[in-house]
Amino acid sequence: MTIEEIQNELIDEFSMFEDWEERYQYMIDLGKDLPLIDEQYKTDNNIIKGCQSKVWVHAEMKNDKIEFTADSDAIITKGIIAILIRVFSNQSPKDIINAEMDFIDKIGLKEHLSPTRANGLVSMIKQLKMYAIAYQTQLK
Amino acid sequence: MFNVNSIRKDFPILSRKVNGKPLVYFDNAATSQTPQQVIDVIVDYYSNYNANIHRGVHTLSQEATDKYEAARQKIQKHFNAKHAHEIIFTSGTTHGINLVANGFASLLKKEDEIIVSALEHHSNIVPWQMLCERTGATLKVIPMNQEGELVMPEFDTLLSKNTKLVFVNHVSNALGTVNPIEYIIEKAHQVGAAVLIDGAQSCPHLKPDVQALDVDFYVASAHKMCGPTGEGMLYGKEKWLKKLPPYQGGGEMIAEVTFKKTTYADLPHKFEAGTPNICGGIAFGAAIDYMNSIGFEAIATYENELLAYATKKLLQIEGLKIYGTSKHKTSVVSFNLEGIHPYDVGTILDKMGIAVRTGHHCAQPIMDYFKIPGTVRASFAFYNTKEEIDSLIEGVKKAKMMLS
Ligand SMILES: Cc1ncc(COP(=O)(O)O)c(C=O)c1O
């Protein structure tokens, strides 16, 4: 599936919920399916700065596509990174770099983009795209 | 008579909704809300007599100057300072601390020592670290215990003839502990050290008497006392303010300027360079009037009730732990649910319209001491109610259910 298809799938899934509680519950559940980062990569180097909770992300290139794994010490944050990884994992660096992110708003998570969240979601997106840029340069 | 329902009517913001729910504002330790009486003063200033002070002969400037200086006198009276010129207007607590730290740079020698407490707001430790780097002086720390209290016998052993300055907050922002500053001031004075007290968290709840305390410097922020942001005060004993060099150069702080030498203005203007936050100062005065009209004794009595109620109710939730369990506390409860990140709890509470603070509360050393990433902090003001605490309890229970 393309990034856009996955995003649309997520929009569909989230559109079924009536209120914030169900949305958050689903997000928390998505966190439980997160491809977990190998313990050896849970280093300070792999922590995304600018989150109130800790988020570790690891990226690996397989067949010209990037595979992400991650973890967080907070459950909601874990759900958020799981959503991002579902969108970005197994995609080419180029597609990740060019991906539009307005689906975040459409699934009702806009408030996580606010700077008072210590830029949690913004930093995560930035970091994932940084990995893609790094791998893209390697490919050339 | 203290009547919370009529008090709440003074605060327009308290009737707004957040995420479709009535706002429950429990982040008062970060900033307090503003009553209509103070908002009116701000509007009146910009509508009727906005002008620069201390320099114009025209009527508006006279009026603004009179109101600004009247605010200084209100603050003087409130803190019971001996002279109005011992009150320096600042942009807030942080500014006041930096002003004093900077002033001490010229007074300290290499063998000198500064004592701070383990309970400080960490951004306020930085000015002292910078001061030590500049002067070669040493920074010592009064440790804390499991209750979140400072360990006084340890403080006694840190004091020596080399101690030149002691810096302690009156009330800890992360835990709400009221520190024994009377004892600290007395002991510090016995070795000839000066004492600066950070009153950012105490002034919303109690009325310090700087003369009775015999404190050398005391700082506070207006925005935690129902006043505007970017405004605060530094109290300094006259003898100390005369001794310290000015912090910033500029207009207002000079008596005479030639290219050879400038003579500084008298107190308080020596420390008030540039055009100040005139409206902020006047509104700060109005905020102090407002709080005094309710009365600090009534405020303390009511807030203690809220604290006791919240503590009791929260502890009934299984797996909830409160950090900061001193008998001497202001109305702050810092807590965690076992195995749940404070950020998650804060996010769920926000969805329910409840504003709390989550994180390390700028007090990383305290969090390190307890080996936790942070806490959820609910801080109550005199305009909060038990019903709002009930909403918090419901919110915490819901968070626990969703997150475990
Ligand atoms: C104990 C303490 N000191 C200082 C400050 C800083 O105050 P301001 O940001 O108004 O300078 C705060 C504010 O959070 C505080 O709680």
Side-chain angles (χ1 to χ4, degrees), chain B residues 157-186:
Chain B
T157 66
L158 291 178
L159 281 170
S160 77
K161 65 177 196 331
N162 291 334
T163 312
K164 288 288 146 25
L165 189 90
V166 178
F167 170 68
V168 178
N169 56 33
H170 197 165
V171 169
S172 147
N173 72 308
L175 306 176
T177 315
V178 182
N179 291 313
I181 62 164
E182 296 81 359
Y183 179 86
I184 289 170
I185 293 165
E186 192 189 330

PDB file of all heavy atoms in Angstrom, chain B residues 157-186:
ATOM      1  N   THR B 157      25.417  22.140  58.677  1.00  0.00           N
ATOM      2  CA  THR B 157      26.813  21.765  58.462  1.00  0.00           C
ATOM      3  C   THR B 157      27.387  22.436  57.210  1.00  0.00           C
ATOM      4  O   THR B 157      28.593  22.552  57.077  1.00  0.00           O
ATOM      5  CB  THR B 157      26.993  20.236  58.333  1.00  0.00           C
ATOM      6  OG1 THR B 157      26.335  19.822  57.130  1.00  0.00           O
ATOM      7  CG2 THR B 157      26.403  19.490  59.509  1.00  0.00           C
ATOM      8  N   LEU B 158      26.514  22.871  56.280  1.00  0.00           N
ATOM      9  CA  LEU B 158      27.023  23.549  55.075  1.00  0.00           C
ATOM     10  C   LEU B 158      27.442  24.982  55.370  1.00  0.00           C
ATOM     11  O   LEU B 158      28.263  25.566  54.672  1.00  0.00           O
ATOM     12  CB  LEU B 158      25.939  23.574  53.980  1.00  0.00           C
ATOM     13  CG  LEU B 158      25.554  22.262  53.314  1.00  0.00           C
ATOM     14  CD1 LEU B 158      24.442  22.499  52.305  1.00  0.00           C
ATOM     15  CD2 LEU B 158      26.756  21.631  52.623  1.00  0.00           C
ATOM     16  N   LEU B 159      26.842  25.575  56.396  1.00  0.00           N
ATOM     17  CA  LEU B 159      27.127  26.979  56.713  1.00  0.00           C
ATOM     18  C   LEU B 159      28.528  27.149  57.268  1.00  0.00           C
ATOM     19  O   LEU B 159      28.997  26.346  58.078  1.00  0.00           O
ATOM     20  CB  LEU B 159      26.132  27.479  57.758  1.00  0.00           C
ATOM     21  CG  LEU B 159      24.731  27.860  57.274  1.00  0.00           C
ATOM     22  CD1 LEU B 159      23.835  28.080  58.484  1.00  0.00           C
ATOM     23  CD2 LEU B 159      24.760  29.091  56.387  1.00  0.00           C
ATOM     24  N   SER B 160      29.210  28.195  56.822  1.00  0.00           N
ATOM     25  CA  SER B 160      30.510  28.528  57.397  1.00  0.00           C
ATOM     26  C   SER B 160      30.758  30.011  57.175  1.00  0.00           C
ATOM     27  O   SER B 160      29.939  30.698  56.557  1.00  0.00           O
ATOM     28  CB  SER B 160      31.618  27.705  56.735  1.00  0.00           C
ATOM     29  OG  SER B 160      31.899  28.263  55.454  1.00  0.00           O
ATOM     30  N   LYS B 161      31.903  30.467  57.635  1.00  0.00           N
ATOM     31  CA  LYS B 161      32.198  31.891  57.432  1.00  0.00           C
ATOM     32  C   LYS B 161      32.386  32.212  55.948  1.00  0.00           C
ATOM     33  O   LYS B 161      32.343  33.370  55.540  1.00  0.00           O
ATOM     34  CB  LYS B 161      33.420  32.311  58.258  1.00  0.00           C
ATOM     35  CG  LYS B 161      34.718  31.633  57.823  1.00  0.00           C
ATOM     36  CD  LYS B 161      35.864  32.174  58.658  1.00  0.00           C
ATOM     37  CE  LYS B 161      37.249  31.890  58.096  1.00  0.00           C
ATOM     38  NZ  LYS B 161      37.491  30.702  57.294  1.00  0.00           N
ATOM     39  N   ASN B 162      32.570  31.186  55.126  1.00  0.00           N
ATOM     40  CA  ASN B 162      32.694  31.415  53.673  1.00  0.00           C
ATOM     41  C   ASN B 162      31.342  31.586  52.980  1.00  0.00           C
ATOM     42  O   ASN B 162      31.289  32.011  51.832  1.00  0.00           O
ATOM     43  CB  ASN B 162      33.425  30.245  53.008  1.00  0.00           C
ATOM     44  CG  ASN B 162      34.891  30.207  53.422  1.00  0.00           C
ATOM     45  OD1 ASN B 162      35.458  31.233  53.768  1.00  0.00           O
ATOM     46  ND2 ASN B 162      35.471  29.017  53.412  1.00  0.00           N
ATOM     47  N   THR B 163      30.271  31.207  53.670  1.00  0.00           N
ATOM     48  CA  THR B 163      28.944  31.336  53.054  1.00  0.00           C
ATOM     49  C   THR B 163      28.605  32.809  52.876  1.00  0.00           C
ATOM     50  O   THR B 163      28.580  33.568  53.843  1.00  0.00           O
ATOM     51  CB  THR B 163      27.870  30.679  53.948  1.00  0.00           C
ATOM     52  OG1 THR B 163      28.329  29.387  54.336  1.00  0.00           O
ATOM     53  CG2 THR B 163      26.562  30.550  53.191  1.00  0.00           C
ATOM     54  N   LYS B 164      28.324  33.192  51.630  1.00  0.00           N
ATOM     55  CA  LYS B 164      28.014  34.604  51.396  1.00  0.00           C
ATOM     56  C   LYS B 164      26.549  34.809  51.053  1.00  0.00           C
ATOM     57  O   LYS B 164      26.006  35.880  51.249  1.00  0.00           O
ATOM     58  CB  LYS B 164      28.898  35.152  50.243  1.00  0.00           C
ATOM     59  CG  LYS B 164      30.352  35.308  50.651  1.00  0.00           C
ATOM     60  CD  LYS B 164      30.510  36.489  51.606  1.00  0.00           C
ATOM     61  CE  LYS B 164      31.566  36.371  52.672  1.00  0.00           C
ATOM     62  NZ  LYS B 164      32.706  35.570  52.602  1.00  0.00           N
ATOM     63  N   LEU B 165      25.924  33.755  50.493  1.00  0.00           N
ATOM     64  CA  LEU B 165      24.544  33.927  50.072  1.00  0.00           C
ATOM     65  C   LEU B 165      23.808  32.592  50.155  1.00  0.00           C
ATOM     66  O   LEU B 165      24.370  31.547  49.814  1.00  0.00           O
ATOM     67  CB  LEU B 165      24.508  34.430  48.628  1.00  0.00           C
ATOM     68  CG  LEU B 165      23.129  34.842  48.155  1.00  0.00           C
ATOM     69  CD1 LEU B 165      22.898  36.321  48.458  1.00  0.00           C
ATOM     70  CD2 LEU B 165      22.941  34.627  46.674  1.00  0.00           C
ATOM     71  N   VAL B 166      22.575  32.637  50.636  1.00  0.00           N
ATOM     72  CA  VAL B 166      21.738  31.441  50.658  1.00  0.00           C
ATOM     73  C   VAL B 166      20.496  31.744  49.815  1.00  0.00           C
ATOM     74  O   VAL B 166      19.882  32.805  49.969  1.00  0.00           O
ATOM     75  CB  VAL B 166      21.325  31.063  52.096  1.00  0.00           C
ATOM     76  CG1 VAL B 166      20.420  29.839  52.088  1.00  0.00           C
ATOM     77  CG2 VAL B 166      22.560  30.815  52.957  1.00  0.00           C
ATOM     78  N   PHE B 167      20.173  30.805  48.898  1.00  0.00           N
ATOM     79  CA  PHE B 167      19.009  30.985  48.027  1.00  0.00           C
ATOM     80  C   PHE B 167      18.069  29.793  48.190  1.00  0.00           C
ATOM     81  O   PHE B 167      18.452  28.654  47.939  1.00  0.00           O
ATOM     82  CB  PHE B 167      19.465  31.087  46.564  1.00  0.00           C
ATOM     83  CG  PHE B 167      18.322  31.035  45.588  1.00  0.00           C
ATOM     84  CD1 PHE B 167      17.405  32.072  45.522  1.00  0.00           C
ATOM     85  CD2 PHE B 167      18.148  29.952  44.743  1.00  0.00           C
ATOM     86  CE1 PHE B 167      16.338  32.036  44.625  1.00  0.00           C
ATOM     87  CE2 PHE B 167      17.086  29.897  43.834  1.00  0.00           C
ATOM     88  CZ  PHE B 167      16.183  30.950  43.790  1.00  0.00           C
ATOM     89  N   VAL B 168      16.856  30.054  48.636  1.00  0.00           N
ATOM     90  CA  VAL B 168      15.887  28.973  48.860  1.00  0.00           C
ATOM     91  C   VAL B 168      14.512  29.470  48.436  1.00  0.00           C
ATOM     92  O   VAL B 168      14.200  30.655  48.601  1.00  0.00           O
ATOM     93  CB  VAL B 168      15.828  28.597  50.364  1.00  0.00           C
ATOM     94  CG1 VAL B 168      14.797  27.504  50.603  1.00  0.00           C
ATOM     95  CG2 VAL B 168      17.177  28.133  50.871  1.00  0.00           C
ATOM     96  N   ASN B 169      13.699  28.570  47.860  1.00  0.00           N
ATOM     97  CA  ASN B 169      12.329  29.015  47.615  1.00  0.00           C
ATOM     98  C   ASN B 169      11.504  28.871  48.885  1.00  0.00           C
ATOM     99  O   ASN B 169      11.744  28.001  49.709  1.00  0.00           O
ATOM    100  CB  ASN B 169      11.687  28.358  46.392  1.00  0.00           C
ATOM    101  CG  ASN B 169      11.687  26.856  46.423  1.00  0.00           C
ATOM    102  OD1 ASN B 169      11.593  26.265  47.488  1.00  0.00           O
ATOM    103  ND2 ASN B 169      11.786  26.225  45.272  1.00  0.00           N
ATOM    104  N   HIS B 170      10.569  29.776  49.044  1.00  0.00           N
ATOM    105  CA  HIS B 170       9.723  29.754  50.238  1.00  0.00           C
ATOM    106  C   HIS B 170       8.819  28.521  50.165  1.00  0.00           C
ATOM    107  O   HIS B 170       8.629  27.819  51.144  1.00  0.00           O
ATOM    108  CB  HIS B 170       8.894  31.050  50.273  1.00  0.00           C
ATOM    109  CG  HIS B 170       8.287  31.359  51.603  1.00  0.00           C
ATOM    110  ND1 HIS B 170       7.782  32.588  51.920  1.00  0.00           N
ATOM    111  CD2 HIS B 170       8.083  30.588  52.695  1.00  0.00           C
ATOM    112  CE1 HIS B 170       7.296  32.557  53.158  1.00  0.00           C
ATOM    113  NE2 HIS B 170       7.470  31.353  53.644  1.00  0.00           N
ATOM    114  N   VAL B 171       8.292  28.280  48.946  1.00  0.00           N
ATOM    115  CA  VAL B 171       7.459  27.105  48.697  1.00  0.00           C
ATOM    116  C   VAL B 171       7.951  26.446  47.415  1.00  0.00           C
ATOM    117  O   VAL B 171       8.196  27.127  46.424  1.00  0.00           O
ATOM    118  CB  VAL B 171       5.972  27.504  48.563  1.00  0.00           C
ATOM    119  CG1 VAL B 171       5.136  26.346  48.040  1.00  0.00           C
ATOM    120  CG2 VAL B 171       5.412  27.999  49.885  1.00  0.00           C
ATOM    121  N   SER B 172       8.083  25.113  47.436  1.00  0.00           N
ATOM    122  CA  SER B 172       8.546  24.381  46.256  1.00  0.00           C
ATOM    123  C   SER B 172       7.439  24.294  45.219  1.00  0.00           C
ATOM    124  O   SER B 172       6.306  23.948  45.542  1.00  0.00           O
ATOM    125  CB  SER B 172       8.985  22.977  46.675  1.00  0.00           C
ATOM    126  OG  SER B 172       8.708  22.058  45.631  1.00  0.00           O
ATOM    127  N   ASN B 173       7.770  24.603  43.968  1.00  0.00           N
ATOM    128  CA  ASN B 173       6.725  24.574  42.944  1.00  0.00           C
ATOM    129  C   ASN B 173       6.328  23.150  42.565  1.00  0.00           C
ATOM    130  O   ASN B 173       5.191  22.904  42.185  1.00  0.00           O
ATOM    131  CB  ASN B 173       7.163  25.345  41.691  1.00  0.00           C
ATOM    132  CG  ASN B 173       8.230  24.618  40.914  1.00  0.00           C
ATOM    133  OD1 ASN B 173       9.245  24.225  41.480  1.00  0.00           O
ATOM    134  ND2 ASN B 173       8.008  24.411  39.635  1.00  0.00           N
ATOM    135  N   ALA B 174       7.241  22.208  42.670  1.00  0.00           N
ATOM    136  CA  ALA B 174       6.935  20.843  42.242  1.00  0.00           C
ATOM    137  C   ALA B 174       6.126  20.086  43.293  1.00  0.00           C
ATOM    138  O   ALA B 174       5.263  19.279  42.953  1.00  0.00           O
ATOM    139  CB  ALA B 174       8.212  20.084  41.932  1.00  0.00           C
ATOM    140  N   LEU B 175       6.397  20.354  44.576  1.00  0.00           N
ATOM    141  CA  LEU B 175       5.794  19.542  45.630  1.00  0.00           C
ATOM    142  C   LEU B 175       4.907  20.332  46.582  1.00  0.00           C
ATOM    143  O   LEU B 175       4.098  19.756  47.303  1.00  0.00           O
ATOM    144  CB  LEU B 175       6.900  18.853  46.455  1.00  0.00           C
ATOM    145  CG  LEU B 175       7.927  18.029  45.663  1.00  0.00           C
ATOM    146  CD1 LEU B 175       9.000  17.502  46.605  1.00  0.00           C
ATOM    147  CD2 LEU B 175       7.254  16.878  44.921  1.00  0.00           C
ATOM    148  N   GLY B 176       5.072  21.644  46.610  1.00  0.00           N
ATOM    149  CA  GLY B 176       4.263  22.476  47.500  1.00  0.00           C
ATOM    150  C   GLY B 176       4.793  22.603  48.919  1.00  0.00           C
ATOM    151  O   GLY B 176       4.154  23.225  49.771  1.00  0.00           O
ATOM    152  N   THR B 177       5.963  22.027  49.198  1.00  0.00           N
ATOM    153  CA  THR B 177       6.536  22.103  50.541  1.00  0.00           C
ATOM    154  C   THR B 177       6.805  23.554  50.945  1.00  0.00           C
ATOM    155  O   THR B 177       7.386  24.315  50.176  1.00  0.00           O
ATOM    156  CB  THR B 177       7.895  21.366  50.587  1.00  0.00           C
ATOM    157  OG1 THR B 177       7.771  20.121  49.904  1.00  0.00           O
ATOM    158  CG2 THR B 177       8.376  21.173  52.006  1.00  0.00           C
ATOM    159  N   VAL B 178       6.364  23.918  52.137  1.00  0.00           N
ATOM    160  CA  VAL B 178       6.707  25.233  52.679  1.00  0.00           C
ATOM    161  C   VAL B 178       8.013  25.073  53.461  1.00  0.00           C
ATOM    162  O   VAL B 178       8.078  24.307  54.426  1.00  0.00           O
ATOM    163  CB  VAL B 178       5.599  25.771  53.612  1.00  0.00           C
ATOM    164  CG1 VAL B 178       5.973  27.162  54.128  1.00  0.00           C
ATOM    165  CG2 VAL B 178       4.252  25.805  52.891  1.00  0.00           C
ATOM    166  N   ASN B 179       9.031  25.758  53.030  1.00  0.00           N
ATOM    167  CA  ASN B 179      10.343  25.585  53.662  1.00  0.00           C
ATOM    168  C   ASN B 179      10.503  26.459  54.911  1.00  0.00           C
ATOM    169  O   ASN B 179       9.915  27.547  54.982  1.00  0.00           O
ATOM    170  CB  ASN B 179      11.439  25.900  52.647  1.00  0.00           C
ATOM    171  CG  ASN B 179      11.492  24.860  51.553  1.00  0.00           C
ATOM    172  OD1 ASN B 179      11.468  23.666  51.836  1.00  0.00           O
ATOM    173  ND2 ASN B 179      11.516  25.301  50.309  1.00  0.00           N
ATOM    174  N   PRO B 180      11.313  25.986  55.876  1.00  0.00           N
ATOM    175  CA  PRO B 180      11.471  26.735  57.132  1.00  0.00           C
ATOM    176  C   PRO B 180      12.403  27.932  56.932  1.00  0.00           C
ATOM    177  O   PRO B 180      13.537  27.956  57.413  1.00  0.00           O
ATOM    178  CB  PRO B 180      12.091  25.696  58.080  1.00  0.00           C
ATOM    179  CG  PRO B 180      12.821  24.752  57.178  1.00  0.00           C
ATOM    180  CD  PRO B 180      12.069  24.723  55.878  1.00  0.00           C
ATOM    181  N   ILE B 181      11.901  28.946  56.232  1.00  0.00           N
ATOM    182  CA  ILE B 181      12.815  30.038  55.877  1.00  0.00           C
ATOM    183  C   ILE B 181      13.205  30.893  57.086  1.00  0.00           C
ATOM    184  O   ILE B 181      14.281  31.480  57.101  1.00  0.00           O
ATOM    185  CB  ILE B 181      12.260  30.930  54.742  1.00  0.00           C
ATOM    186  CG1 ILE B 181      10.964  31.609  55.145  1.00  0.00           C
ATOM    187  CG2 ILE B 181      12.102  30.161  53.444  1.00  0.00           C
ATOM    188  CD1 ILE B 181      10.620  32.779  54.220  1.00  0.00           C
ATOM    189  N   GLU B 182      12.346  30.924  58.129  1.00  0.00           N
ATOM    190  CA  GLU B 182      12.709  31.709  59.319  1.00  0.00           C
ATOM    191  C   GLU B 182      14.014  31.169  59.899  1.00  0.00           C
ATOM    192  O   GLU B 182      14.934  31.927  60.209  1.00  0.00           O
ATOM    193  CB  GLU B 182      11.603  31.622  60.391  1.00  0.00           C
ATOM    194  CG  GLU B 182      10.272  32.232  59.981  1.00  0.00           C
ATOM    195  CD  GLU B 182       9.403  31.318  59.105  1.00  0.00           C
ATOM    196  OE1 GLU B 182       9.836  30.179  58.777  1.00  0.00           O
ATOM    197  OE2 GLU B 182       8.295  31.741  58.730  1.00  0.00           O
ATOM    198  N   TYR B 183      14.061  29.850  60.002  1.00  0.00           N
ATOM    199  CA  TYR B 183      15.252  29.189  60.551  1.00  0.00           C
ATOM    200  C   TYR B 183      16.455  29.434  59.643  1.00  0.00           C
ATOM    201  O   TYR B 183      17.551  29.756  60.093  1.00  0.00           O
ATOM    202  CB  TYR B 183      14.967  27.681  60.661  1.00  0.00           C
ATOM    203  CG  TYR B 183      16.128  26.864  61.196  1.00  0.00           C
ATOM    204  CD1 TYR B 183      16.304  26.715  62.569  1.00  0.00           C
ATOM    205  CD2 TYR B 183      17.047  26.247  60.330  1.00  0.00           C
ATOM    206  CE1 TYR B 183      17.368  25.968  63.065  1.00  0.00           C
ATOM    207  CE2 TYR B 183      18.113  25.505  60.823  1.00  0.00           C
ATOM    208  CZ  TYR B 183      18.264  25.365  62.188  1.00  0.00           C
ATOM    209  OH  TYR B 183      19.322  24.635  62.679  1.00  0.00           O
ATOM    210  N   ILE B 184      16.225  29.291  58.327  1.00  0.00           N
ATOM    211  CA  ILE B 184      17.309  29.445  57.354  1.00  0.00           C
ATOM    212  C   ILE B 184      17.885  30.864  57.406  1.00  0.00           C
ATOM    213  O   ILE B 184      19.103  31.060  57.421  1.00  0.00           O
ATOM    214  CB  ILE B 184      16.797  29.090  55.938  1.00  0.00           C
ATOM    215  CG1 ILE B 184      16.551  27.580  55.842  1.00  0.00           C
ATOM    216  CG2 ILE B 184      17.786  29.546  54.852  1.00  0.00           C
ATOM    217  CD1 ILE B 184      15.827  27.117  54.581  1.00  0.00           C
ATOM    218  N   ILE B 185      17.006  31.845  57.491  1.00  0.00           N
ATOM    219  CA  ILE B 185      17.458  33.235  57.526  1.00  0.00           C
ATOM    220  C   ILE B 185      18.269  33.493  58.806  1.00  0.00           C
ATOM    221  O   ILE B 185      19.349  34.071  58.765  1.00  0.00           O
ATOM    222  CB  ILE B 185      16.245  34.200  57.442  1.00  0.00           C
ATOM    223  CG1 ILE B 185      15.585  34.089  56.059  1.00  0.00           C
ATOM    224  CG2 ILE B 185      16.671  35.637  57.712  1.00  0.00           C
ATOM    225  CD1 ILE B 185      14.192  34.690  55.965  1.00  0.00           C
ATOM    226  N   GLU B 186      17.744  33.003  59.922  1.00  0.00           N
ATOM    227  CA  GLU B 186      18.423  33.256  61.187  1.00  0.00           C
ATOM    228  C   GLU B 186      19.821  32.636  61.194  1.00  0.00           C
ATOM    229  O   GLU B 186      20.801  33.276  61.557  1.00  0.00           O
ATOM    230  CB  GLU B 186      17.571  32.695  62.331  1.00  0.00           C
ATOM    231  CG  GLU B 186      18.041  33.150  63.693  1.00  0.00           C
ATOM    232  CD  GLU B 186      17.327  32.420  64.826  1.00  0.00           C
ATOM    233  OE1 GLU B 186      16.143  32.029  64.637  1.00  0.00           O
ATOM    234  OE2 GLU B 186      17.963  32.233  65.879  1.00  0.00           O
TER     235      GLU B 186
END
